[in-house]
Amino acid sequence: MPKLQRSDIPEALFRHLLLRVRQREISVTDLGQFYHWIQTNPTVPDGAWYKRFQNFTLCGQDHFVKTFLEFNHTPVGKEIP
C-alpha cells in the first residue's frame, strides 16, 4: 500500500484542495486534525479511499488527497481508520 504523498502536490490539485477548504468552511481546528494525521506518514490503499474526521471527510485516490467533503456528504472508496 502506498504512503500518502505530502509534498510535490501538483499545483492544480493544491488549488482544488484550497478551494474546497474555503467552500466547505473547513475550520482551522479541523485542518489541525488533518495536519496531525498526515504527520503520522499514513499508509493509504490503492484506488479510492476516505477518512472521516470529526467535522469533515477527506477523500483520496492512491497516494494523493483529492478533496474535502462536508461530513454529511457520501464518500466513495474504502474507509481507512
Side-chain angles (χ1 to χ4, degrees), residues 14-60:
F14 186 72
R15 289 178 185 272
H16 168 78
L17 293 171
L18 289 176
L19 178 63
R20 291 298 179 256
V21 165
R22 277 188 238 121
Q23 287 176 331
R24 303 210 166 119
E25 299 178 353
I26 307 295
S27 72
V28 171
T29 301
D30 293 335
L31 289 175
Q33 292 174 4
F34 170 63
Y35 174 79
H36 289 297
W37 178 70
I38 64 170
Q39 291 303 309
T40 67
N41 198 24
T43 300
V44 292
D46 290 320
W49 55 267
Y50 64 95
K51 176 164 180 58
R52 292 188 190 275
F53 289 87
Q54 184 174 354
N55 297 313
F56 70 96
T57 301
L58 182 70
C59 297

